[in-house]
Amino acid sequence: MTQLNIPDSEYMYSGHVGCPGCGAAIAMKFALKALGEKTIMVIPACCWGVIAGPYPQSSLKVPILQTAFATAGAAASGLKAALDMKGDTETTVVAWAGDGGTFDIGIQALSGAVERNEDFIYVCYDNEAYMNTGVQRSSATPFGARTTTTPGKGWKKNRKKNMVEILAAHRIPYAATANIAFPEDLIQKFVKARQMKGGTRFLHVFASCPTGWRIPSEMSVKIARLAVQSNIFPLYEVKDGIDYTLNYKGDRPVMDYLKIQGRFKHLNHKDIEQIQSMVDEDWKLLLRKMNHNQRG
Amino acid sequence: MWESMTTEQNFAEKIPLFISRSNMSTELNKTGSWRFVRPIYDEKTAPCSAACPAGEDIARIEMLSSQGRYREALETILLENPFPAICGRVCFHTCETACNRSGLDEPIAIHGIERFIGDAAVRDNLTFSLERLPDNGKKICIVGAGPSGLAAAYFSTRLGYSCDVFEAGAEPGGILRWGIPRYRLPDAVVNAEVQRIKNLGVKIICNTRATQNFLEEAKDRYHAFFIGCGHGRSLKMNIPGENMALDGLDFLNRMRTEKTESLNNGTAAVIGGGNTAIDVARSLVRLGVKAILAYRRRKQDMPAFQYEVETAVKEGVKVMELFSPSSIAQDGGEYILTLQPMKPSGMETDTGRARVVPDGETTQELRVQRIFTAIGAEPSEPWQLPSKENAETVYLSHCAFMANNPPFLFGGDLTNPTKSVADAIASGKQSAIVLDTFFKKGMNAIADRLNSCLVGNGPALSMERYLDGKRSNRNPDMVSYENINVDYFSPAPRIKAESHALDKQVNPFDEIETTFTIRQVMEETRRCFNCGICNACDNCRIFCPEIAVDLQDAQRRINLDYCKGCGICVVECPRNAMALEEEV
C-alpha cells in the first residue's frame, strides 16, 4: 500500500459549519498545508463564505477577505497591489471561489485579472452547482445532473464549461486540475503554484458535495476519486497555456461514477452511453493536446 | 525602517481599516452535536489468522515486517507459535488460501515471511520478551517430543507450569525429525527451535519410551499428563505379499538418521497418496531412483498437500492415479506389483474425495526393484488414545480431555482431524488452556473460556487472548475482500523465493527453497492489506474535513466535540479497521 505523505501542519479550525463530508472543506485543508501561514484568502460569495465563519469567528488560521460574488479576481488584484505597496513580497494572495463565482458570476473579473497576468493564485473549488443557496445549476453542472433549477425531466442537457481551457487560452503561467481524493497530487500542485510567483496561477479543484449531489457523506472522497478514475475529471497541468502534462490515466467506465449519485439516478442506459461518449471525446481531445506540446 | 518607506507605503500605513475583523475561531461551535453516527476504531479479524490452526496474528505480523519491526513480528508469532522457522517451511499455509489479496491478484506469501522471521531470529539470535505467568508449582508430564508435545510444554510453561517431556527417540522433534525429509526441513532448523523450548526451562528426556507402567508410577510425581505420541505404526494393506514391501515411514526415519542409504538406481513403487508417500517418492528421486506413485483414487483426492504433489511431479515422480495394489510377488531379485485399475463412483460426502470401485478385470503389473508403502499410520499402543470406556472424556477440536485424578490430555495426530504441524501446535495450545482453566476454574468453565479465546469464529485459539493481551479487543467479525478499499492498492506480483533446481544441488538432500531476502520481505509485506488492523496509514486523519482526528503518542482518537459523523474516515480506511456506530 502506498502511504500518503501529507504535511502535518494544520491551518483550519474545527467547528466550521460545512456539511458533513464536505469536499470543499477537505480541499481547503489540503490547500493550506501547501500554502502555509503567509497566505491571504479572498473569498467571494460561495459555500466557503459561510464555512469561513460568521463574524466574529474564523475557521482559518490565515487572514480572509470576504468579498462580493463577482469580484474575486478584482479583489485579489487589489489585495496584491496593496501588499506590493507595503513591500510584502512573501505573502501569497489566493482567490478561493466556488464554481458559480468562477464559471458564471465571477468570470469577467477573473478574465480581466488573468489577462493582466496578476500575481495571485485563483482556486475554483468546484462542487458543480450553487450549493449553499440550495443547489441551483451553474455552468459547471455536468450534463445529466438534476438540480433544483433543472429538476425532473428538465435535467441539465448542456455540457459543463471547460474552465481550464478558458484559462489556458489566456496563456497564464500555470493552470491545473486537482481533486480532494488525490491529496499528494493536489498539495504538490499548490506548492508549485505558490512558488511560481509573478503571474496568475489557476487551480480547478474538484470538491464533492454530499448535500447537492445526493450522495452518502461517507462516500464523498470515494466518489471524487471515481471522477478521476473514470476520466470525467482528468488530472492535468498546462504550463504557459501550451505545455500539457497528464497526471493520471483512468480506466473505469463513467457508469461507476454516475450510478452511485442521486443527482444522476434518473439517467437511463442510453443517457449514460451518451455521457460516456462525451467523456471519451474530451479525453481524446486532451490526449491530443498532450501529444502536441507546441514547444515539443 | 520608517525612513526606507516610500511615500506610497507611508500613505497606505495611515489608512484606517474600515472593515470588521474576526477575532476568534470557530472552535466555539461544538459541531459534534450534529452527529447521528459515530466513527470508532474497530479492529477486526483477518481471514488468514482465523484460517491458521495456530491462530497467529498474521495481519499484524505482516504489518510489523513491512515496517522493518522484525523483533516485534517475532514476538507476535511466538505468542501463538513457538516454531516460525519450521512452520514457514512445512506448514501447508491455509492462511494463504484464505488471503483476501487473491481478490486483487495473488495471495501474500505468508509462509515466506514467517520463515524469514524464524530464520532471522535464529541467525541473529534475536532476543524477545514473552509474557510468562509466575510458577504455580504444578508439574506436567508430557509423552512425546513431537510438535504437539513440545507445543504443550511451551504454552504450559508460559502459563506457569513446569514440564517434563519424555521422548522414545534419541532426539526431540518427533515427526519433524524423522518424518520430514531434510530437503524440506534441515536438522539445524529443528535444533534451533527446539532449543527455544529448552531455554524456557522445559526438560526433555530422550531415549525414554513411556509405557503404561511408567505412567502409573509417574502419577505421584505429576499433576497432569499430556499424551502426544503420534502415529508410530504403519497401517497394513492386507494384500498377498505385503511383507515384501518396505515401510515408508521407516525409510524416511533411516534417511534422517543414517545419512544416505545406497539404492542403486532402478525403479521403486510407492503406494499411497499422503504426505509420507510424497516424501518417500521425492527422497527416492534424490537417491537416483525412479519413483512411481500408485494411488487408488484420483490425483486431486490425495491427502498430500497439492504443492508437494506438484513439486514431486516436477522432480520426476510418476503418478499413477486410480490404481489399487492387489498383490506383491517376487521374481528373481525384483518385485511384481499387481495393480487393479479403479474408477470413480460418486463422492464421499464427509471428505469430498471420490469413492472408487474396481474398473474391469484387467490388472496391470509393475516390475520394480523396491516397493514402499505409505498408506497411513495408527498409534503403536492402545493407551496412547483416550479410553473409549470413559464417558467423561471431552473431545475438543484439537485434543481430548479426561478429568481424572490426575487429568489426562490427548493431542497431536492422535486426536486432530487434520494431521499437520500447525494443527499439532494448536493441540498443544488448546491443551494448555484447557488444563489451566480446569485447575483454576473447574470443568464447567472450559467451554466458555475456550470460546473467549477463539480467533474470529474459530476453531483457531489465541494464547494472547487467553492472557488478555491487546488482541482480546479484536472484533471477531472477519474482513472480506469487499471490505477492503482497493483504491489504495495496485496489482503487484506475489514474490517467489528462489528455488534451487534439484539437478544443480551439490547434495540432493539440501534444502530446495531459499529464505526470502530482506528486500523480498519488504516488497511482499507491502502487498498485504493488513485486513482489519490499523497500520497507522493516517488516512482517517488526513481526510477528516473537521480536523476531528487527534494524534497523540501514536494513538489516533476521534474528537467527538467536532466530529459530525460524516464517515469518510471509515470508508477511506483501506483495511476496515474502523466502523460507524449509531449514536444513542
Side-chain angles (χ1 to χ4, degrees):
Chain A
M1 130 123 200
T2 27
Q3 205 98 356
L4 296 172
N5 190 9
I6 306 296
D8 214 39
S9 40
E10 203 69 80
Y11 298 98
M12 225 170 103
Y13 289 112
S14 297
H16 64 73
V17 294
C19 304
C22 175
I26 298 175
M28 179 66 92
K29 174 177 162 164
F30 291 154
L32 282 175
K33 281 175 185 283
L35 296 167
E37 180 179 39
K38 286 280 183 187
T39 303
I40 296 185
M41 284 282 168
V42 179
I43 303 184
C46 61
C47 286
W48 253 101
V50 181
I51 303 169
Y55 176 79
Q57 293 182 346
S58 171
S59 63
L60 297 186
K61 295 178 187 172
V62 300
I64 309 165
L65 178 72
Q66 295 234 16
T67 180
F69 219 146
T71 64
S77 304
L79 198 55
K80 179 62 198 171
L83 287 173
D84 282 347
M85 278 179 74
K86 287 186 76 175
D88 181 341
T89 52
E90 210 186 330
T91 304
T92 312
V93 175
V94 179
W96 185 269
D99 49 291
T102 306
F103 285 61
D104 303 342
I105 297 171
I107 194 168
Q108 178 279 131
L110 170 61
S111 178
V114 166
E115 188 265 339
R116 296 189 302 274
N117 202 19
E118 295 282 357
D119 182 4
F120 62 74
I121 300 175
Y122 190 105
V123 182
C124 171
Y125 67 94
D126 181 5
N127 49 28
E128 303 196 316
Y130 292 81
M131 291 312 184
N132 68 314
T133 52
V135 198
Q136 292 86 7
R137 64 92 95 183
S138 75
S139 55
T141 303
F143 179 97
R146 261 183 192 158
T147 63
T148 52
T149 48
T150 53
K153 282 185 181 154
W155 48 268
K156 193 178 170 197
K157 307 283 190 317
N158 311 93
R159 289 171 84 139
K160 181 185 175 104
K161 191 188 276 180
N162 191 332
M163 205 59 198
V164 175
E165 289 306 307
I166 293 173
L167 270 296
H170 288 73
R171 295 291 180 93
I172 52 171
Y174 188 63
T177 62
N179 184 305
I180 57 158
F182 294 80
E184 276 176 319
D185 175 84
L186 185 147
I187 287 171
Q188 215 182 333
K189 284 169 177 168
F190 271 87
V191 169
K192 207 185 248 183
R194 173 170 56 85
Q195 290 167 343
M196 266 190 194
K197 288 180 187 296
T200 317
R201 294 87 82 194
F202 180 81
L203 284 155
H204 183 188
V205 181
F206 194 82
S208 40
C209 172
T211 311
W213 296 6
R214 287 182 284 150
I215 57 172
S217 58
E218 70 269 21
M219 295 298 280
S220 196
V221 173
K222 181 111 187 154
I223 287 174
R225 186 180 294 114
L226 273 165
V228 174
Q229 290 171 331
S230 65
N231 292 333
I232 198 166
F233 188 86
L235 292 180
Y236 66 106
E237 298 163 284
V238 191
K239 250 179 93 185
D240 301 324
I242 298 173
D243 292 335
Y244 282 73
T245 310
L246 187 64
N247 310 117
Y248 188 96
K249 271 187 183 166
D251 56 1
R252 295 184 65 163
V254 75
M255 169 83 156
D256 292 356
Y257 170 70
L258 300 174
K259 73 181 173 199
I260 44 177
Q261 301 185 49
R263 60 177 175 157
F264 296 117
K265 218 170 83 188
H266 53 277
L267 297 178
N268 63 30
H269 190 65
K270 245 180 97 186
D271 303 328
I272 290 171
E273 252 175 31
Q274 192 186 351
I275 294 174
Q276 181 68 60
S277 65
M278 288 175 177
V279 170
D280 292 346
E281 193 179 83
D282 287 348
W283 179 250
K284 261 187 226 149
L285 183 64
L286 185 61
L287 289 184
R288 245 176 29 222
K289 287 174 186 162
M290 300 293 156
N291 296 334
H292 287 278
N293 280 348
Q294 280 151 38
R295 290 193 294 212
Chain B
M1 185 191 160
W2 283 97
E3 294 86 75
S4 67
M5 279 188 155
T6 63
T7 331
E8 277 179 330
Q9 281 170 347
N10 263 320
F11 178 70
E13 284 295 321
K14 283 173 198 150
I15 303 174
L17 193 62
F18 292 118
I19 189 169
S20 48
R21 284 173 86 173
S22 292
N23 51 29
M24 62 173 75
S25 86
T26 48
E27 280 176 342
L28 207 63
N29 318 322
K30 301 287 191 253
T31 48
S33 62
W34 302 13
R35 194 178 57 241
F36 55 90
V37 283
R38 134 187 335 205
I40 52 164
Y41 291 98
D42 178 29
E43 293 204 320
K44 300 180 193 69
T45 304
C48 48
S49 61
C52 169
E56 286 179 38
D57 196 353
I58 296 168
R60 187 169 160 77
I61 294 162
E62 309 304 272
M63 179 195 94
L64 292 168
S65 305
S66 76
Q67 298 168 346
R69 294 154 72 186
Y70 302 123
R71 185 191 310 270
E72 286 168 79
L74 173 68
E75 284 170 352
T76 309
I77 297 177
L78 292 181
L79 284 172
E80 308 294 351
N81 180 350
F83 302 134
I86 293 171
C87 287
R89 287 175 167 81
V90 303
C91 185
F92 58 115
H93 40 76
T94 40
C95 50
E96 295 182 16
T97 315
C99 178
N100 275 335
R101 179 88 195 191
S102 319
L104 185 67
D105 42 35
E106 294 168 277
I108 306 297
I110 297 166
H111 75 286
I113 312 294
E114 182 173 42
R115 172 169 166 175
F116 172 86
I117 303 284
D119 282 8
V122 175
R123 189 191 55 219
D124 303 335
N125 202 12
L126 286 187
T127 51
F128 50 86
S129 64
L130 212 52
E131 193 188 348
R132 199 169 159 177
L133 302 183
D135 191 343
N136 60 20
K138 288 199 161 62
K139 287 188 81 178
I140 305 177
C141 170
I142 293 168
V143 181
S148 73
L150 291 173
Y154 173 77
F155 290 111
S156 303
T157 305
R158 283 176 48 203
L159 293 178
Y161 297 82
S162 49
C163 300
D164 293 343
V165 185
F166 295 90
E167 166 63 35
E171 282 178 287
I175 196 154
L176 303 172
R177 181 83 61 184
W178 53 261
I180 299 176
R182 284 200 304 269
Y183 60 85
R184 281 176 64 203
L185 184 59
D187 283 332
V189 174
V190 180
N191 292 341
E193 297 215 308
V194 170
Q195 189 58 44
R196 185 174 291 140
I197 309 260
K198 288 185 185 163
N199 291 347
L200 283 178
V202 173
K203 249 190 274 165
I204 305 178
I205 303 112
C206 291
N207 295 313
T208 309
R209 185 174 290 278
T211 59
Q212 218 159 356
N213 284 343
F214 168 89
L215 290 179
E216 274 312 316
E217 266 174 27
K219 276 180 185 171
D220 298 335
R221 288 182 284 140
Y222 293 99
H223 299 89
F225 288 80
F226 175 89
I227 314 293
C229 299
H231 289 155
R233 191 166 60 201
S234 296
L235 290 174
K236 296 278 169 232
M237 298 182 288
N238 299 320
I239 58 167
E242 177 162 11
N243 56 348
M244 284 179 271
L246 301 164
D247 178 38
L249 270 180
D250 191 46
F251 168 70
L252 289 180
N253 191 5
R254 272 184 288 128
M255 297 290 311
R256 289 296 291 231
T257 48
E258 297 161 21
K259 299 282 174 206
T260 346
E261 195 161 307
S262 58
L263 294 172
N264 296 328
N265 302 321
T267 306
V270 182
I271 299 165
N275 286 313
T276 306
I278 299 290
D279 285 342
V280 169
R282 287 180 67 188
S283 296
L284 286 168
V285 169
R286 281 166 172 72
L287 295 172
V289 176
K290 225 179 126 215
I292 300 171
L293 198 69
Y295 180 56
R296 58 193 296 264
R297 301 178 203 247
R298 300 170 308 169
K299 199 158 140 193
Q300 63 262 45
D301 299 322
M302 285 186 175
F305 307 135
Q306 200 195 337
Y307 172 80
E308 295 292 325
V309 181
E310 283 164 14
T311 315
V313 170
K314 240 180 264 168
E315 288 176 357
V317 174
K318 191 183 164 202
V319 178
M320 292 179 71
E321 53 181 343
L322 292 166
F323 278 104
S324 180
S326 54
S327 69
I328 296 172
Q330 203 164 9
D331 182 28
E334 298 182 330
Y335 299 95
I336 293 172
L337 172 64
T338 308
L339 294 166
Q340 165 68 50
M342 308 293 280
K343 63 178 177 194
S345 150
M347 299 297 278
E348 283 178 4
T349 42
D350 52 338
T351 61
R353 300 188 297 181
R355 199 180 292 119
V356 289
V357 293
D359 182 15
E361 303 282 300
T362 335
T363 56
Q364 196 165 330
E365 284 183 355
L366 217 54
R367 179 174 282 269
V368 293
Q369 281 71 48
R370 275 184 175 73
I371 298 173
F372 294 90
T373 62
I375 58 160
E378 60 185 356
S380 37
E381 310 268 353
W383 58 263
Q384 294 172 353
L385 276 175
S387 133
K388 288 248 159 56
E389 294 103 70
N390 192 333
E392 308 270 290
T393 308
V394 182
Y395 290 88
L396 298 160
S397 68
H398 282 87
C399 69
F401 179 59
M402 292 193 323
N404 299 356
N405 191 22
F408 262 70
L409 285 142
F410 297 85
D413 278 0
L414 297 174
T415 56
N416 286 349
T418 308
K419 323 288 182 210
S420 79
V421 176
D423 284 277
I425 292 163
S427 188
K429 188 190 294 179
Q430 190 175 49
S431 301
I433 292 176
V434 166
L435 196 62
D436 194 48
T437 309
F438 175 74
F439 280 135
K440 285 182 179 154
K441 294 186 172 155
M443 192 69 192
N444 295 335
I446 291 176
D448 282 350
R449 199 67 186 96
L450 283 177
N451 274 334
S452 72
C453 305
L454 290 180
V455 176
N457 296 319
L461 294 172
S462 160
M463 187 51 85
E464 189 181 352
R465 286 181 78 112
Y466 184 70
L467 293 169
D468 295 323
K470 272 195 201 142
R471 214 178 163 191
S472 308
N473 305 326
R474 192 83 48 92
N475 187 333
D477 284 358
M478 198 114 82
V479 179
S480 71
Y481 179 67
E482 287 67 38
N483 300 139
I484 299 293
N485 187 342
V486 285
D487 288 334
Y488 289 98
F489 303 94
S490 30
R494 171 183 160 111
I495 304 292
K496 285 187 181 68
E498 224 172 288
S499 317
H500 303 298
L502 180 53
D503 51 8
K504 302 246 162 61
Q505 293 276 75
V506 180
N507 179 341
F509 281 89
D510 280 349
E511 207 172 3
I512 291 246
E513 215 176 87
T514 59
T515 305
F516 274 161
T517 61
I518 207 159
R519 187 187 297 262
Q520 287 176 314
V521 168
M522 292 304 262
E523 256 180 80
E524 188 60 8
T525 50
R526 252 197 303 248
R527 292 178 67 238
C528 178
F529 292 157
N530 304 131
C531 296
I533 64 156
C534 175
N535 74 348
C537 79
D538 217 20
N539 274 8
C540 49
R541 202 165 70 100
I542 288 171
F543 285 105
C544 177
E546 310 306 329
I547 335 287
V549 179
D550 298 337
L551 177 63
Q552 243 171 21
D553 307 325
Q555 283 293 309
R556 282 161 191 78
R557 202 179 56 85
I558 308 286
N559 185 342
L560 294 171
D561 278 350
Y562 300 109
C563 168
K564 295 170 186 163
C566 73
I568 288 178
C569 50
V570 177
V571 171
E572 294 311 310
C573 174
R575 42 192 55 80
N576 199 16
M578 295 187 77
L580 273 183
E581 232 175 27
E582 221 163 299
E583 285 287 339
V584 277

